[in-house]
Amino acid sequence: MMILSKTTPRSTEILTNFAEIFLCAASRNLLQTYGIKHNLSQCELYCRSLSQEHEIRIALPPIIAKDVGMKTIDLITLRRDFHRAPELGFAENLTKARIAAILTELGLEVFEGVGVVGLLKQGSGNRAIGLRADMDALPIFETSTHDYVSQNPGAMHACGHDGHMTMLLGAAAILAKDPDFDGTVVFLFQPNEEHGLGAQAMLDEGILERFPIQEVYAIHNLPGAPLGQVSTRTGQICSSESLFEIIIEGQGGHASMPQMGRDAITIGAEIVQALQTIVSRKLAPGAGVVVSVTEFITNGQRNVLPGQATLKGDVRARMPQDREAVAKLMKQISEGIAAAHGVSISVAFNTEFIETINASGPTEAVVEAAGAQGLETIPNREPMSFSEDFAHFCQAVPGCLLLVGNGQEGPYGQPLHASNYDFNDALLPIGAAFWAQLVRDRLAKPAGEQGDNV
Ligand SMILES: [Zn+2]
Ligand SMILES: [Zn+2]
C-alpha cells in the first residue's frame, strides 16, 4: 500500500474500487465453499477484513504498479483461495462454482457443463476467440509452509492451474469493465488437464458447435524462466504421450528343463532390446522421440521359468507421424519376435496426450501482444518435452499455447509437479493484462470506432 498510495495514487484509487466488486464475488463464493451462511453485510465485512491484508501484499515488483484496470491484490487473494482448496480432475466442483459466480458477477453469460464457459460479447462483430485455463490439481502432498497451503491433504495445485484460472478471471474483469473490442470472447475453464481428458470432454460436449471460435489460446507458467518472459513457437510446442503394454503368453516350466517350456522372460528381454532400434534405426536423427520400457513383470519364481511376461512403457513424440510410426513398428517387432519363438503376444498402444501444434497466425498474434505489453519474448523457443491437453483444442481450431516465466527464485523456480512449487503471484496481473491485450488485438474494433477507446 505504501508503494502505490504514495507514488501512484490514481492507480490505487481505481484498483481499490474495482477490488470491491471482484472481492465480493470471490468471497461470497468462498463463504459458501466453507459452508458459512452469510448475507450481503457479512460479505462486505469479509471484503473489509481482507483489505487489511492488502497493505502487506502490495509490495510487489514495479511492473505490477502499472495500471491495468484492476487490483493486483484481489487476484492474489483469489489465487491463494484456489490454492487452499485444490480439487482433482473431474472433481473440480467448488472451483467451478467459484468461477461461475465470479463470471456471473462480472456480467458474463455463463454455461456450466464438464467445465465452465463464460461469454463476453461486445459490438456487432461476429469474430470470436477462445481463452483457456485449466482447473485441476494433482494428487500430491504439499510440503510448502506458507499460510495458504492446501487444506485438502493429498491434493495440491502443483502445476500452477490456480494461477492460470486467476489470470483468466483477471482478464475477464479487465475486459468486462472496459470492453473495447468487437466480437465475442469465450472463456474456457476446463477440467482434468493432468490426465489429458478434460479438453476432449468439453469438445465431446459440443462446446465448439455451441460457441464457435476462430482461434484458441492457452497460457502455461514456466518455472525457472524469468518472470513474465513469454516463449512460444509455431508448430509443435508440446509432446505427445502414449502408454503401451505388451503381454507375452509362453509356457512356464521348470528352471532346470527350459526345453520343456517357452520362457517369456528371454523373449521379453529380446523385445526390450529390439524396441530401442525404433528410435536409433527407424526414425530420422533428431526426431525427438523417446521409447522407454518402464516395467517388466513376469510370473516366474526362483526355480520357475515364467510363462507370462508383461512389458509396459511410455513413448514421447513431437510429430503425429512419428508417433504413428512407433505404434506400427512396436507391433511389428513384438509380433515378429513372438512368431520366431512360437508364443502368442498382444500389443496395446494408447495415446493419452496428442502433440500440441501451434498455428502460425495465432502464434504471431501472441508474440505481438507480448511485445505490446513490454514483455521479453522468445518467438521460437525449443519444443517442450511435457504434454498438454490443450492439444485437443489446437487440433480443432488454430491456436497457440504460450509459456510465461514464473521466476527463478525459491518455490517459483521449482519444477512443475514438485511438492514445494508455487505459482508466482507477481505473474497474475502480467498474465491478465496480456490476455486483455490479445483480445483487443484480435477483436479490434473497425477502424472508424477506434477513437472511442482513447
Ligand atoms: Zn501438470
Ligand atoms: Zn499444468
Side-chain angles (χ1 to χ4, degrees):
M1 180 143 175
M2 284 181 64
I3 294 170
L4 282 180
S5 63
K6 286 184 180 171
T7 58
T8 54
R10 187 177 159 272
S11 294
T12 309
E13 191 184 321
I14 294 167
L15 298 175
T16 305
N17 290 342
F18 196 72
E20 294 294 320
I21 305 165
F22 202 86
L23 258 179
C24 278
S27 52
R28 223 177 266 156
N29 211 272
L30 182 74
L31 293 171
Q32 281 169 359
T33 300
Y34 292 103
I36 301 165
K37 287 203 175 74
H38 67 285
N39 55 34
L40 193 61
S41 65
Q42 280 178 311
C43 184
E44 283 163 357
L45 189 69
Y46 184 74
C47 293
R48 276 202 296 279
S49 74
L50 278 179
S51 71
Q52 299 303 312
E53 296 176 44
H54 298 170
E55 297 185 13
I56 304 161
R57 292 180 185 173
I58 204 73
L60 293 165
I63 191 163
I64 297 199
K66 189 176 168 188
D67 184 355
V68 294
M70 62 175 182
K71 192 168 186 179
T72 303
I73 45 180
D74 283 334
L75 297 186
I76 294 175
T77 303
L78 185 59
R79 203 283 293 183
R80 293 180 179 188
D81 286 346
F82 279 135
H83 193 89
R84 282 188 192 95
E87 295 176 298
L88 301 180
F90 286 145
E92 303 94 337
N93 301 320
L94 296 174
T95 305
K96 282 169 64 181
R98 296 199 63 185
I99 289 170
I102 293 168
L103 293 174
T104 303
E105 189 84 12
L106 290 169
L108 275 70
E109 280 181 71
V110 178
F111 300 88
E112 286 191 65
V114 291
V116 180
V117 179
L119 290 190
L120 187 59
K121 293 181 187 169
Q122 183 66 19
S124 55
N126 55 10
R127 285 190 55 74
I129 66 171
L131 310 179
R132 187 219 68 166
D134 33 19
M135 302 187 289
D136 55 323
L138 287 147
I140 292 173
F141 281 90
E142 182 164 15
T143 56
S144 312
T145 54
H146 48 62
D147 64 0
Y148 50 92
V149 292
S150 168
Q151 299 298 302
N152 183 8
M156 177 189 172
H157 271 299
C159 202
H161 298 182
D162 48 351
H164 300 167
M165 290 184 274
T166 309
M167 289 191 292
L168 195 53
L169 288 167
I174 295 170
L175 292 164
K177 182 168 178 260
D178 190 9
D180 51 345
F181 61 91
D182 185 55
T184 304
V185 188
V186 181
F187 294 89
L188 300 160
F189 292 87
Q190 79 147 79
N192 207 346
E193 188 283 328
E194 295 291 355
H195 292 107
L197 298 171
Q200 191 60 50
M202 287 186 87
L203 294 171
D204 290 346
E205 257 186 350
I207 287 294
L208 295 184
E209 289 74 33
R210 195 167 175 190
F211 312 112
I213 49 177
Q214 287 87 48
E215 297 168 8
V216 67
Y217 298 87
I219 290 178
H220 207 295
N221 76 96
L222 187 61
L227 177 68
Q229 182 192 69
V230 169
S231 61
T232 188
R233 73 193 309 274
T234 297
Q236 181 256 344
I237 179 91
C238 294
S239 301
S240 62
E241 181 182 15
S242 306
L243 300 178
F244 63 87
E245 182 173 286
I246 300 167
I247 300 174
I248 304 158
E249 296 286 357
Q251 172 63 55
H254 200 288
S256 69
M257 294 182 286
Q259 77 281 8
M260 300 287 287
R262 276 164 287 159
D263 174 22
I265 208 165
T266 312
I267 300 164
E270 205 173 322
I271 291 173
V272 172
Q273 292 295 327
L275 293 182
Q276 296 311 311
T277 65
I278 296 176
V279 172
S280 67
R281 287 296 174 268
K282 305 289 185 190
L283 300 178
V289 174
V290 181
V291 176
S292 295
V293 177
T294 55
E295 294 177 72
F296 194 148
I297 306 152
T298 76
N299 61 351
Q301 294 187 26
R302 53 167 286 180
N303 57 357
V304 178
L305 287 173
Q308 190 184 71
T310 301
L311 306 177
K312 295 183 185 179
D314 179 286
V315 174
R316 304 292 168 123
R318 291 183 178 176
M319 298 307 291
Q321 56 269 33
D322 289 334
R323 164 167 50 89
E324 286 156 15
V326 171
K328 187 167 163 247
L329 288 163
M330 185 172 281
K331 194 167 179 344
Q332 189 179 308
I333 288 168
S334 302
E335 288 179 350
I337 292 172
H341 292 283
V343 299
S344 60
I345 196 162
S346 66
V347 182
F349 188 96
N350 290 315
T351 298
E352 301 214 329
F353 289 85
I354 57 172
E355 301 79 8
T356 309
I357 312 287
N358 281 345
S360 60
T363 306
E364 284 163 22
V366 161
V367 171
E368 206 167 299
Q373 283 291 307
L375 301 173
E376 182 192 350
T377 307
I378 300 173
N380 193 21
R381 65 155 304 120
E382 287 289 304
M384 306 304 295
S385 58
F386 61 67
S387 308
E388 237 299 341
D389 180 322
F390 180 62
H392 294 285
F393 283 112
C394 283
Q395 195 181 41
V397 180
C400 178
L401 174 84
L402 62 140
L403 300 149
V404 184
N406 193 50
Q408 295 160 309
E409 302 300 321
Y412 312 134
Q414 294 298 321
L416 294 170
H417 298 195
S419 63
N420 58 348
Y421 156 87
D422 196 16
F423 185 88
N424 192 338
D425 286 326
L427 193 50
L428 296 170
I430 298 172
F434 165 81
W435 276 139
Q437 175 80 44
L438 184 71
V439 168
R440 288 167 177 156
D441 287 355
R442 300 310 278 171
L443 301 179
K445 286 181 174 180
E449 298 174 31
Q450 293 288 350
D452 298 355
N453 304 331
V454 179

